[in-house]
Every structure is written in C-alpha cells, then in structure tokens.
Amino acid sequence: MKKDTVKLITRRDFLKITGMTVGGAASSYWLLSDLMAVPQRLLEKMANSRGEESWQNTVCRQCTAGCGIAVRKIDNIPVYVKGNPIYPVNRGGVCPMAHTSMEVLFNPDRVKSPMLRRGTKGREGWEEIGWKEAIASLSQRLKELIDRGEGHRIAMINGDDSPLMRAVCQYWMKAMGSPNYFEDERFTDNSIVVNLSQAMDTTPVYDIINSRYILNFGSNFLEEGNSPVYYNQIFGHLRETTREGSTTLVHIDSRINLTGSNSDRWVAIRPGTHGALALGIACVLIADRLYDRSFIEAHTTGFKPFSDSSGREHAGFESFVRGNYYPEKVSQLTGVPAETIVRLAEEFGTRKPAVAMSDDAARYATNGSFSQWAVYCLNALVGNFQKKGGVYFSHPAPEIRFPRLSSDPAGKDSQHRPKVGEDIDPPSPFGDLPPDQFVKGITAGDPARIDTLIIINSNPVFHSRQKDKWVRALKEIENVIYIGTFIDETAKYADAFLPDHSFLEKSDLSGPIPGLMFTHVGLQQPVIEPLFDTRQSGDVLIELGKRAVTEDAFPWKDYEELVLERLRVIFESGEGSVISESTYAQWVAYLKERGWRLQQYQTFGAFRRTIMKNGGWWNPLDPFLPLKEIFRTKSGRFEFVSSHLKERLAEASQFAEGDSAAEKRDRLLSGLHITARGDDLLMPHYEVPFSLGKTEKFPLILTISELLTNRNGAGATQPSLLEMIGVQVGRYWKSWIEINPLTGREYGLKDRGMGWVESTQGRIQGEVRFFEGIRPGVVHLHLGLGHTSYGRFGTGIGFNATDLIENHRDSLSYTPALNGTPVKVSPSLREV
C-alpha cells in the first residue's frame, strides 16, 4: 500500500468538512484535543465533497454483544453511526460505545503499518517493515518448526470474539500441530450449571419478558453480560406492556447497579453467599410444598433418597436442603433476614411463571459454580423448562466444516502433547485452560518450550492478576507476535506488531450471542477501504497457513471468502430467514410450525445481496423442543445429584497424588478448595468463599464490575467515552472508590475526598464516593481504566482494579474469581 500523509484534526473540524452539523452532535464531547487521524487523500476528497449521502448496515464490534448498526456516509466516508432498526439483537438501539465508532476508525494512536522490534522489550524501539517481509519471515519460522516436528512450540492467545474467527484460530493451531491454543478469559461462557444437571454445554436462555416474577442473583444484564442493549429493550418492553406490579424483578446483590436501580426490590446480600440464599429459598419451597411435584417425579432424579447400582443409600436434595439450609441458618450466612427468605420463596412458588437467574456477582467468585447451580435448581423445583417465562435453549446456527488435515505422525504427536501449564495446578473439572495457566507454565518451567507466541487482540498484561509473570514470560519467549490495533501493555513486549483493520474496515460474522431468545448471524461489512497499511487478522492467518502448512489446508483466497462460505452453509440449510422489517419471532415461528421454508431465495446470490442490504440472518427459538432433548444426562433427566460432576472429578483426580482413588480425589478437592465430601459434594451446596487474605488485617470485601461506556477497557482509547465514564457520580476521566457512608466514616473517609484501598496484592488511590446503594462492609471498583500504555487518551487515566485482586478461580472451572478479595481502606492526605 502506498504511504499516505496523516493529518490530525479535531472532531469538530471533521464534522464540518463532511458537512455534518456540529451543534447537538458534538457539543457534549471533549473538544480540547479531540484529535482524529485522517489520511491526506481523504481530506482532499472531503474538500471536494459533493455531499452524496448513503447508509450501510454492519455490526458493531466494540464489545461482544454485536449490535447491528447503520453507518451514514458522505461521499463514501463514514461520519455517523446509529442502530439498525431491523437487527434482532438491538432493534435500532445502541450503547454509547457504538456512537463513538468514528473515534476507533480515525484514532490517531492506531498502529498504521507492520513494525519490528529494534530495542529492548517493554521500551520504545520499533521500525516499520513491509507486509511481504513480515509474512515471509514469520511463515518461514513456523514452517521450520513444523518440519522438525516441533509445532507444539507454537502458541496462540486469541482475543477476537467473532465465532468464525475463533473457529479459524482453533483450526489454524491444529494445522500447526500444536495443542497450545488459549482464549481470552472474557470468553468464558455461563453454561456450567446446565452441564452439571443436564450434561449440556449450552448457555440457558431466560424468558424474562413473559415471566411474572424474576429472582435475579447478581446478574447486571442491563450493563454487563452478553448483550446489554438487547436486555434494555426487553426490560423496557416489559415495563411498558405489563400492568403495574404484574411483573416483579428482585435484585439480589451487595450493590445496586444499573439493573438493580431498575428493579422493584433490592435484597442486600453479603458477597459470595448467593448460593446459600438460593438453597434457603429452596428449603422453604420444599417445606411449604410449593414445588412442582409432577415435574419432579417425571423429569428429575436425586430429589428423594436413592440407592445406587451397588445398593448404597444416598441422601437426596430434599432432605439435604431441609436439614442444612433452613431460613435462620441461611440468614446468618447471607445477612438476609429469615422473614425475607420466606417471603421470596412464597412469592417465587406462587407468582407463576417465575424464573431464577444468576451471573456476574454470583459467578465471579471461588464458589461461583456451586452458587449458580443452586440458583438454577430453583427453576427445576417449579418445573419451569421449555415454558413461557422460564428457561429455554436455542438451536445452534449451521456451521461450516474445515478441511480434514493430513495425519502426519510428527504433527499428530506434537499436537497431542499436554498444553503448557496443564500440570501446574489441580485441573478444574470444567472449562478450558486459560492464558493465566499458560503463563504459569512458562515461568515455572523452560521458556524454550514455546518458540513463537501469537497474540490476537488480547491484553493479558493489563487484565491478568499476575502481571509480573506475564511480563517475565513475554521477555523470555523468543518470538512474540502481536496482532492488534494499539500498542497496549502486552504489545509493548512483542517482537513484531502486525496491525489489524478496525471493525469498520473488515468483513466478518457476528453471533450467535449466547442467552438470546433466537440464534442469529450478523454480517460485518467494511464501510470504507482500509485507511492505513493494515490487514485483517484472518487474512494474516490464512496466508501464514498456506505458506507454513499447505495450500490444501487453507484453500480460501482470503477471510472474506470464508465468510461467504459460512453464509452459503446457512443458505443451503433452508433454516431461518434474512432479517427484515416485517419479520418478527412470532411470525417466523408461525410459519415454521406449518412447514414453510422461510428462506424464499432462488439463488445464493440473491440471498447474499439481501443479507448485505439488511445486515444478517436469524432463526427464532423453537419453544416446543421436547424435554428429552435438553436433559442429556445418562438418566435422561434433570439431576439434583450430578453424575456428570462425579465423572469429571474422577477424570481430573487421575492426575493427583495418592495411593488410592479416594486419596487422589481428596487431594484434588483440597487443591480446588472444595470442602464438601460424600453426597454433599455432588449436589448444589454452599462453599465458603476462599481467599488468602487475612480478614483481621483486611476486614472489607472487594467487588468489581464493568461500565457500559468502557466494556473490557476498550473505551479507554476514545475521549468521548472517557468524558462520560462516571456520569452517574459526576466524575469524568478518572476512577473512583464506592463505599457505604457508614463504612466510609468508620474508617475515616470523606465523600469526594481521596482514599486508599489495599489488599495482599498492592494498593490504589482514588476519589471516594459514598453510595447508600452498597452494603456496609463492601468496597466497589470498576474495571477498565489504569492503562500504562493505550494511546494518548487512555494512558495514565484512573487506576487498574485488577492490581488488587488475588489470583483465584472458581472451584469447578477456570472462571476468574474477580469478586471477594479482602481489602482495607484508609484516608489519603491528598485531597481533591
């Protein structure tokens, strides 16, 4: 690509040049140095603008939600973004991050061409190189490793959340002959509760719009989760169309967040005790016979005492809960009054349909899986599966098949080696090995085990709870390749940087998004030719695969061809329909019941043109799936006593130390900090949150969350988002510390004064904000700020809350335990 001069202009000037009015559109934006990098050729085109307006549909990729957007263009130059009104995920609505998409495309700190390290890792010292040289050098290195049977010395950490890109990365690593594929921790799904009781690796769908009573254990679905805009619209519709008081949403958490502030009631609970409360509610449901006895008898096992194949007697869920989780005991654990527990149970058992859901605050704890399992079992007690207002499961979208790889013995042996880090800690029964285990393996063993590490749009140095290990590992690994957009904290330690397109310059697919009442695939289309000398990460992998492996293994011309192949698979399936103004779930379901083929296209070309115009394809959830298809356990029923967990624990304990199976299992459980044994272990139960912190020294509990304006920290590169980062507390361009006024005064803090928060890991300083919507004894921080390298806007703004979080994980999975670190607070001498 020919070199092009880049000029920095203000956003206001950009809007003037493109003919867009400035008044209301820009007056609330940061105007001091709101610079945008615009190539000279584009400025010349703008100067001679004819003012021709057009719109193009694509998908926002600022976060994992994948909302449909419509981009306004003047003379084919994008200037404005709004929601696509017919896209089923968001139906025209978008969050602040979508509105600032131009600040991603024209960001002055984007890396504009490939670069090679010429200095010490972690410092400045880059030299621009051409793509030809970059691809040739890297592909040759990869090929030499593969030819020597050392493909396992290639590793990848993928942070691209596109389902197609994730599939390509996994296939690419198999082609390299390496098991060392890892995904960003934010990709962890929420399917473990379904796995435990139904042996399905699927995220449940909660039909809150048709529910009359919703028990929400810590899910901030209006601000975090898979698709905040989708749930905001669902929730808004729920409030508008139902009679006052007909649907009750109960928010159970230690803090009132955006979801809590829109709920009917707040139950202030101690952090980490959500599962205990759910079991207390279950106890009352059972004692007062408010559960669905016909469903329990016909579709569940483990509720009553039972005998196994050897004749051994086992306690059932009913007697276990009634004997251990009566309201008075649960009240002591949770801080929730016993009368409140009884009331919640009576309302849940009588206000039908009712649904219990959990996420976020309940999930990101050392006892997260057991807590969420306890909540999920409330739905089984009231028989609320495949019913309106209950729990559904969506059909998967048709998938493409990748070419079959050759069975080269050297490559096969290489691929079947254990992953780096697999043998460092006791293996979790569920979940894939995360990058943090990989870095433990590198720093605890021989760093030469990995020759080349490829990192795609992931920033573990910033997000990890073990930053020092990451820095050490990245320095020790000889060849670190970073594919991304900005020089962030991780890219600083790379040996080469290969710049990716922004999401407005690339072709890709979005969806399906877990937890929605339909399956869908959105088409992400480039709305402008690449501004700089960048390449789509998928194109880079395909080119490297062709050169390092074979053309047959990577038969596509480029990544866009793979996108079209996926669309062709959907077309040939005959399922679902291209989204349109007149297509709604009820109408699609009606036609489907009557045997209609929903796709009325004679050719793939016609199908493709319609998708390009409208933005995507979808297939609403079939509400009539038989229960036998969602209970895939050996018993064919919902299990209160999990046979699947028993099997997984047996598999994992094989690698533990011990002379007998029982001793090995006990060692495994102790290493996972699970205290329950016997029958209790295989049922939902309360595990006391584990922490290395000494509560005598650190008497308070830290909880964290994300903001809608800065999901995963990505908003820190965009000044408009930083300008509204703390709009709810009147604080901008900074982090803050939330604490209850009673707790704050007890430790000498002042509202709007400066304070310290300290844990075993370190301490941070920030402005204190008193908030009565947080339980006493709790300190709350937001994630996403505190970057030390993230461009001119994001660097040095606020603090990084992960610097305080102890490095623990959920006892059954590799989900990070972000909540629950013990901390202390103290006033700072410096005041604002």
Side-chain angles (χ1 to χ4, degrees):
M1 178 176 175
K2 185 179 179 180
K3 295 284 185 181
D4 196 359
T5 303
V6 175
K7 184 176 181 180
L8 298 181
I9 66 172
T10 67
R11 183 179 186 277
R12 182 182 290 272
D13 288 340
F14 175 81
L15 295 176
K16 286 180 179 179
I17 293 171
T18 55
M20 187 175 177
T21 58
V22 178
S27 60
S28 63
Y29 282 67
W30 186 56
L31 298 175
L32 297 178
S33 58
D34 186 7
L35 302 177
M36 306 179 79
V38 183
Q40 184 65 36
R41 68 183 188 280
L42 230 58
L43 289 173
E44 293 172 358
K45 184 176 181 180
M46 292 175 187
N48 300 309
S49 172
R50 291 176 295 178
E52 293 183 1
E53 181 189 51
S54 61
W55 290 85
Q56 185 174 354
N57 287 323
T58 185
V59 177
C60 177
R61 293 289 300 282
Q62 290 252 54
C63 76
T64 58
C67 293
I69 56 175
V71 179
R72 182 184 184 226
K73 300 194 289 185
I74 303 297
D75 293 330
N76 286 321
I77 300 171
V79 296
Y80 175 71
V81 169
K82 69 175 184 178
N84 180 350
I86 64 174
Y87 199 76
V89 173
N90 56 308
R91 293 287 180 186
V94 288
C95 76
M97 293 191 76
H99 280 300
T100 61
S101 297
M102 294 302 107
E103 293 179 19
V104 178
L105 176 64
F106 295 105
N107 195 289
D109 298 312
R110 285 180 58 186
V111 178
K112 300 172 180 63
S113 62
M115 299 193 301
L116 191 65
R117 168 76 58 192
R118 292 304 185 197
T120 304
K121 288 188 180 184
R123 300 179 182 176
E124 297 299 326
W126 296 95
E127 176 185 326
E128 288 190 9
I129 59 173
W131 277 103
K132 183 177 180 180
E133 178 186 350
I135 295 295
S137 174
L138 180 55
S139 61
Q140 181 63 29
R141 186 166 189 146
L142 297 176
K143 181 173 176 54
E144 289 175 358
L145 288 169
I146 295 170
D147 289 345
R148 294 197 304 265
E150 296 180 354
H152 60 277
R153 296 182 64 202
I154 303 167
M156 176 185 288
I157 299 170
N158 176 36
D160 191 316
D161 57 33
S162 158
L164 181 60
M165 188 62 184
R166 290 169 71 180
V168 168
C169 289
Q170 292 176 46
Y171 172 78
W172 191 88
M173 287 296 287
K174 288 181 180 178
M176 297 296 120
S178 175
N180 290 307
Y181 172 73
F182 302 88
E183 291 192 329
D184 196 296
E185 281 189 348
R186 63 194 171 97
F187 292 170
T188 56
D189 62 24
N190 205 11
S191 63
I192 189 169
V193 293
V194 185
N195 226 322
L196 289 166
S197 281
Q198 297 166 234
M200 289 177 63
D201 191 16
T202 306
T203 302
V205 178
Y206 299 101
D207 183 18
I208 64 174
I209 197 169
N210 290 306
S211 179
R212 293 190 63 226
Y213 192 83
I214 305 163
L215 279 181
N216 175 26
F217 291 78
S219 175
N220 187 13
F221 54 79
L222 296 184
E223 192 168 21
E224 300 179 88
N226 293 324
S227 185
V229 175
Y230 168 81
Y231 276 104
N232 270 277
Q233 293 192 334
I234 291 289
F235 189 78
H237 180 73
L238 181 71
R239 289 307 194 206
E240 290 175 2
T241 59
T242 58
R243 300 188 314 276
E244 184 177 354
S246 64
T247 299
T248 301
L249 175 59
V250 180
H251 178 71
I252 302 169
D253 199 359
S254 60
R255 173 180 174 267
I256 296 179
N257 47 36
L258 184 60
T259 305
S261 65
N262 286 279
S263 300
D264 299 282
R265 199 183 312 160
W266 174 39
V267 177
I269 191 173
R270 289 193 182 111
T273 64
H274 298 81
L277 180 59
L279 293 169
I281 293 171
C283 177
V284 177
L285 288 172
I286 294 169
D288 291 354
R289 300 180 68 79
L290 294 175
Y291 63 95
D292 188 334
R293 290 183 289 279
S294 61
F295 179 85
I296 294 296
E297 292 173 2
H299 300 292
T300 73
T301 63
F303 184 75
K304 297 284 187 180
F306 63 97
S307 300
D308 60 24
S309 56
S310 63
R312 181 186 171 192
E313 293 291 326
H314 296 271
F317 182 74
E318 177 186 27
S319 58
F320 170 69
V321 169
R322 295 190 67 172
N324 294 280
Y325 296 100
Y326 46 89
E328 293 76 14
K329 180 178 179 179
V330 170
S331 178
Q332 294 176 358
L333 295 172
T334 63
V336 178
E339 55 269 25
T340 300
I341 298 171
V342 173
R343 178 187 176 189
L344 292 175
E346 290 176 344
E347 291 174 345
F348 187 75
T350 56
R351 294 278 304 275
K352 297 181 179 180
V355 68
M357 60 190 297
S358 64
D359 205 343
D360 304 319
R363 178 184 179 192
Y364 292 108
T366 59
N367 60 2
S369 290
F370 284 117
S371 292
Q372 289 198 285
W373 190 18
V375 173
Y376 189 66
C377 284
L378 294 176
N379 297 297
L381 286 177
V382 296
N384 209 10
F385 289 92
Q386 300 304 105
K387 294 180 181 178
K388 279 190 175 183
V391 182
Y392 282 138
F393 295 90
S394 60
H395 288 288
E399 296 286 351
I400 65 172
R401 292 186 178 182
F402 289 92
R404 177 174 294 183
L405 297 168
S406 63
S407 56
D408 172 53
K412 186 175 181 181
D413 291 343
S414 183
Q415 184 180 343
H416 284 79
R417 289 171 177 258
K419 282 188 173 186
V420 172
E422 205 167 42
D423 55 349
I424 296 297
D425 292 324
S428 291
F430 296 92
D432 295 326
L433 203 70
D436 269 7
Q437 290 298 112
F438 165 78
V439 80
K440 278 187 178 181
I442 292 294
T443 55
D446 178 10
R449 293 170 67 185
I450 296 298
D451 174 88
T452 296
L453 171 62
I454 298 175
I455 303 175
I456 303 176
N457 287 303
S458 183
N459 189 6
V461 174
F462 176 76
H463 292 291
S464 174
R465 278 79 57 211
Q466 45 184 3
K467 296 174 174 55
D468 292 343
K469 283 187 171 65
W470 273 106
V471 170
R472 177 183 159 192
L474 293 172
K475 287 181 176 179
E476 291 178 344
I477 296 173
E478 187 174 340
N479 189 36
V480 177
I481 309 297
Y482 193 94
I483 302 176
T485 310
F486 298 95
I487 300 289
D488 58 26
E489 288 84 350
T490 302
K492 282 175 60 178
Y493 297 93
D495 296 282
F497 192 109
L498 305 181
D500 196 0
H501 294 334
S502 75
F503 73 89
L504 292 175
E505 299 167 310
K506 66 167 65 173
S507 297
D508 208 339
L509 296 174
S510 173
I513 307 298
L516 276 58
M517 289 290 291
F518 50 83
T519 188
H520 74 287
V521 174
L523 178 59
Q524 179 184 336
Q525 304 180 77
V527 299
I528 190 173
E529 290 294 317
L531 300 181
F532 310 115
D533 192 14
T534 59
R535 285 193 187 181
Q536 178 152 339
S537 51
D539 287 341
V540 173
L541 293 184
I542 289 173
E543 181 65 20
L544 290 173
K546 288 177 182 289
R547 296 189 180 206
V549 188
T550 63
E551 292 269 354
D552 292 339
F554 295 88
W556 315 282
K557 181 183 70 173
D558 52 23
Y559 188 79
E560 185 176 1
E561 185 175 315
L562 195 56
V563 169
L564 293 178
E565 185 173 325
R566 173 77 192 283
L567 293 180
R568 185 181 294 277
V569 170
I570 292 173
F571 166 73
E572 293 176 350
S573 74
E575 297 179 11
S577 174
V578 173
I579 62 173
S580 68
E581 295 180 4
S582 60
T583 303
Y584 285 85
Q586 296 89 338
W587 177 241
V588 173
Y590 176 84
L591 295 176
K592 190 173 182 180
E593 287 175 38
R594 284 149 183 79
W596 282 63
R597 177 186 169 97
L598 300 178
Q599 292 187 14
Q600 303 297 317
Y601 309 98
Q602 298 300 316
T603 65
F604 173 66
F607 175 78
R608 174 189 173 186
R609 286 191 295 272
T610 309
I611 278 191
M612 292 177 66
K613 177 183 177 182
N614 292 3
W617 164 95
W618 76 320
N619 191 16
L621 178 69
D622 182 354
F624 304 105
L625 277 176
L627 290 174
K628 64 181 180 180
E629 291 191 22
I630 68 170
F631 300 146
R632 299 178 186 174
T633 55
K634 289 183 177 179
S635 63
R637 294 171 171 237
F638 182 97
E639 294 185 349
F640 287 102
V641 180
S642 177
S643 62
H644 199 47
L645 175 58
K646 183 178 180 180
E647 292 174 356
R648 290 293 186 92
L649 288 172
E651 293 172 4
S653 64
Q654 295 177 17
F655 306 98
E657 296 181 359
D659 296 327
S660 65
E663 186 177 349
K664 287 175 177 288
R665 177 165 161 168
D666 191 67
R667 288 281 183 89
L668 171 69
L669 295 175
S670 297
L672 295 173
H673 307 294
I674 298 175
T675 60
R677 298 293 187 271
D679 291 342
D680 297 5
L681 170 65
L682 302 179
M683 289 186 284
H685 64 274
Y686 173 66
E687 289 279 346
V688 177
F690 172 77
S691 174
L692 292 178
K694 298 178 180 179
T695 55
E696 296 82 7
K697 183 178 180 181
F698 302 102
L700 307 177
I701 296 297
L702 176 66
T703 62
I704 57 87
S705 66
E706 285 187 340
L707 292 164
L708 193 60
T709 50
N710 190 25
R711 301 196 72 196
N712 198 44
T717 61
Q718 300 157 59
S720 298
L721 294 177
L722 290 170
E723 181 68 18
M724 64 180 80
I725 196 82
V727 64
Q728 68 269 45
V729 294
R731 288 296 173 267
Y732 316 101
W733 293 84
K734 63 176 64 177
S735 304
W736 65 96
I737 301 164
E738 287 184 13
I739 195 167
N740 186 279
L742 295 176
T743 306
R745 294 189 188 103
E746 180 183 353
Y747 291 95
L749 301 179
K750 296 179 181 179
D751 188 30
R752 301 178 186 270
M754 297 297 291
W756 291 99
V757 182
E758 184 175 353
S759 74
T760 59
Q761 307 304 297
R763 68 175 187 164
I764 56 93
Q765 184 186 45
E767 183 177 348
V768 176
R769 292 311 311 266
F770 285 175
F771 181 40
E772 293 184 356
I774 188 170
R775 184 183 172 90
V778 176
V779 178
H780 187 83
L781 305 176
H782 291 100
L783 297 173
L785 292 182
H787 285 278
T788 58
S789 177
Y790 209 29
R792 70 197 65 191
F793 304 121
T795 303
I797 302 297
F799 53 71
N800 188 350
T802 60
D803 291 344
L804 298 180
I805 300 174
E806 294 175 347
N807 188 31
H808 304 308
R809 66 183 197 239
D810 168 52
S811 55
L812 290 184
S813 72
Y814 289 104
T815 301
L818 301 178
N819 290 311
T821 294
V823 295
K824 67 178 181 180
V825 296
S826 59
S828 170
L829 296 178
R830 184 171 69 86
E831 300 288 340
V832 293

